[in-house]
C-alpha cells in the first residue's frame, strides 16, 4: 500500500527558505509521476511542481526560479526546495504520487510565510 508522509513545513519570514520532504512507503517506481500541490486558505488545491520519469520537471508560473522539485528513488523521497518565499506561498502543501492511473496523497504540511 502506498503512503505518503510530508514534513518540513513551518513558519518562515518572507525571503526565507524551506525544504519539504515526502517519504513514500512501498517505494517509488521510475514510472511514477510525483508532484507538490498547494492549497491556500479559502482556495482550491493547485499544482506547484511535478517531476516525471527521466527527471523532467514542470512548475507553476508563480514559483518558477524559486522552487525546485527533486526525487531520490533510492531513499523513496521527493523534495521541494523553496527559496525567496513570499506571503502568497502560504498554504498547506500536499505531496502526490500518480501511478497507473491512481492518485495518492499525503496528509499535507503547513507552510506559513510572514511578511
Amino acid at each position: 500500500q502506498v503512503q505518503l508522509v510530508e514534513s518540513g513545513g513551518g513558519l518562515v519570514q518572507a525571503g526565507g527558505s524551506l525544504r519539504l520532504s515526502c517519504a513514500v512507503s512501498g517505494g517509488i517506481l521510475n514510472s511514477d509521476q510525483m508532484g507538490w500541490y498547494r492549497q491556500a486558505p479559502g482556495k482550491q488545491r493547485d499544482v506547484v511542481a511535478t517531476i516525471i520519469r527521466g527527471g523532467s520537471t514542470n512548475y507553476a508560473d508563480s514559483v518558477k526560479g524559486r522552487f525546485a522539485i527533486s526525487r531520490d528513488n533510492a531513499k523513496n523521497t521527493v523534495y521541494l526546495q523553496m527559496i525567496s518565499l513570499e506571503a502568497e506561498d502560504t498554504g498547506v502543501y500536499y505531496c502526490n504520487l500518480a501511478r497507473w492511473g491512481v492518485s495518492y496523497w499525503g496528509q499535507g504540511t503547513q507552510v506559513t510565510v510572514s511578511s
Side-chain angles (χ1 to χ4, degrees):
Q1 184 175 355
V2 177
Q3 291 186 325
L4 286 65
V5 179
E6 302 98 333
S7 61
L11 174 64
V12 63
Q13 289 187 331
S17 302
L18 283 174
R19 188 176 81 156
L20 306 183
S21 298
C22 173
V24 181
S25 65
I28 300 176
L29 305 179
N30 287 334
S31 58
D32 290 341
Q33 173 172 307
M34 303 296 304
W36 287 95
Y37 289 69
R38 174 173 70 199
Q39 188 164 18
K43 296 188 177 181
Q44 67 180 20
R45 190 177 301 185
D46 290 325
V47 61
V48 172
T50 60
I51 184 167
I52 62 174
R53 184 197 328 221
S56 179
T57 57
N58 279 288
Y59 297 93
D61 288 342
S62 61
V63 306
K64 284 180 180 177
R66 300 188 298 119
F67 290 13
I69 186 171
S70 60
R71 59 195 282 175
D72 187 335
N73 287 7
K75 294 184 178 180
N76 299 323
T77 303
V78 178
Y79 304 97
L80 185 68
Q81 179 68 51
M82 306 184 293
I83 66 171
S84 302
L85 283 161
E86 304 168 353
E88 292 73 22
D89 296 318
T90 293
V92 179
Y93 284 70
Y94 296 91
C95 181
N96 175 267
L97 182 155
R99 177 183 296 172
W100 304 329
V102 180
S103 190
Y104 300 88
W105 296 92
Q107 83 289 348
T109 185
Q110 176 72 45
V111 172
T112 302
V113 183
S114 63
S115 56

